[in-house]
Amino acid sequence: MLEHGGRLLRAAHEYGIPAEQWLDLSTGVSPYAWPVPPLPVSAWQRLPEDDDGLIDIARTYYGHPSLLPVAGSQSAIQALPSLRERSRVGVLDPGYAEHAHAWQRAGHKVERAAADALFARAVRYDVVVLIHPNNPGGERFELDTLLALHATLARRGGWLVVDEAFIDATPERSLCAAHALPGLIVLRSVGKFFGLAGARAGFVCAEPALLVALRERLGPWSLSGPARHVLKLALADTAWQSAQRERLHATAARLSKLLTHHGLAPDAGCAFFHWRRDDRAAALQRALARQGVLVRRFEQPHSLRFGLPGDDAAFARLDAALAGWRSIDRKQEVAP
């Protein structure tokens, strides 16, 4: 399997620091979680039922009439390639690596490329996969540009797959507003914005016929009863959602300022994380880890992704850890 953030227990073992003593900034999950209330016993005792009201609440939240609950967008990422015959697939790079991995494993011809190249060469692809905003590169696209790309693909029976796992802080930029266009598939994640990654919950927004095929592939009960119960409440809590968006944007701006202060001005990012290209990425990740701060490192290109610190104490700890690294880095620069 591919590497991802969130491997806290492995880091704790490697560096000899108990897991509870770490500041984990290795994922893009919001540090501010929707407050889950006590769950009714029936949520655990009964099999999940499709007509429990979740779909109606989700339609209102996402603004899309046709959607399918799934066990995190990852399950859809792995299943979608099996719904097409061999295709030429263009995937945004750098980006969430599971997309290219899934299409390759299913036998499709995959080309990784930057966004400009994907748009310019759209006629050569049967499927284009974008992450919006991109993870980790932070690229954002205008809705008209995305719809034009979709039209180019759909004329030949192609697909535009858009992973919107990090769009919830800026919902006005979502393609869900385009509704159920043939060949347009939008993936949404609950875990990032609501801080509920452990629920493993998400939605696929697409035309009904494709959702029927995807549901057949995934099988019944893709979401647990407890997850469905929590989602109904969280997706309907508009006051919390509004406050969450303001909080995420403010925290992301504060993180950008802190990184810039330490000579690590972000190259990109969004309301959930910031991304820094740097040839010193491996050394910096290790230096932070030795101080109990976990960040996500990428090899191509050499870079780091910083998730959001959740409070003043977390910001102070990251500040101190970066200051310690800068001191070591300066000494190495002047060493004979």
Side-chain angles (χ1 to χ4, degrees), residues 38 40 51 57 84 94 111 129 167 173 201 213 216 253 269 273 299 326:
D51 55 355
I57 294 171
R84 286 191 66 96
E111 296 181 7
V129 181
I167 203 77
R173 302 185 67 90
E216 288 296 317
F273 60 81
E299 294 288 349
R326 289 178 68 193

Side-chain angles (χ1 to χ4, degrees), residues 63-276:
H64 197 283
S66 176
L67 44 78
L68 177 69
V70 292
S73 52
Q74 180 61 40
S75 64
I77 289 170
Q78 292 181 219
L80 283 171
S82 67
L83 302 183
R84 286 191 66 96
E85 296 184 353
R86 295 283 180 88
S87 300
R88 186 183 293 272
V89 183
V91 180
L92 182 61
D93 186 66
Y96 185 56
E98 289 286 355
H99 288 287
H101 185 61
W103 286 94
Q104 283 181 321
R105 286 185 61 183
H108 300 274
K109 182 175 177 56
V110 174
E111 296 181 7
R112 297 175 174 86
D116 289 347
L118 291 178
F119 282 94
R121 302 199 299 252
V123 293
R124 66 183 280 138
Y125 300 122
D126 305 301
V127 178
V128 171
V129 181
L130 300 174
I131 305 97
H132 183 220
N134 190 19
N135 168 30
E139 291 95 329
R140 295 168 176 80
F141 311 103
E142 296 300 324
L143 293 181
D144 288 347
T145 303
L146 292 173
L147 291 173
L149 173 60
H150 162 261
T152 298
L153 296 164
R155 279 194 292 269
R156 296 177 287 107
W159 289 357
L160 173 61
V161 180
V162 184
D163 183 345
E164 294 186 343
F166 294 100
I167 203 77
D168 294 70
T170 52
E172 69 279 1
R173 302 185 67 90
S174 171
L175 264 181
C176 284
H179 298 310
L181 297 177
L184 177 60
I185 303 166
V186 181
L187 309 180
R188 298 294 295 261
S189 170
V190 172
K192 310 298 189 303
F193 178 72
F194 289 92
L196 299 174
R200 302 308 308 133
F203 290 86
V204 180
C205 303
E207 60 180 312
L210 187 143
L211 294 183
V212 170
L214 180 58
R215 181 175 179 176
E216 288 296 317
R217 177 67 61 178
L218 295 175
W221 309 305
S222 60
L223 278 186
S224 70
R228 295 183 71 98
H229 179 83
V230 170
L231 261 59
K232 284 190 294 181
L233 299 175
L235 294 177
D237 192 348
T238 56
W240 184 91
Q241 294 158 18
S242 178
Q244 176 78 330
R245 292 186 182 101
E246 292 183 9
R247 181 166 45 188
L248 288 172
H249 287 298
T251 305
R254 183 179 178 184
L255 176 59
S256 177
K257 183 177 180 180
L258 176 62
L259 293 174
T260 301
H261 172 73
H262 288 286
L264 298 168
D267 292 294
C270 64
F272 297 85
F273 60 81
H274 285 299
W275 184 55
R276 164 76 182 192

Side-chain angles (χ1 to χ4, degrees), residues 46-56 69 215 228 232:
R46 296 176 58 85
L47 284 172
E49 299 188 62
D50 292 340
D51 55 355
D52 60 356
L54 174 60
I55 289 295
D56 292 332
R215 181 175 179 176
R228 295 183 71 98
K232 284 190 294 181

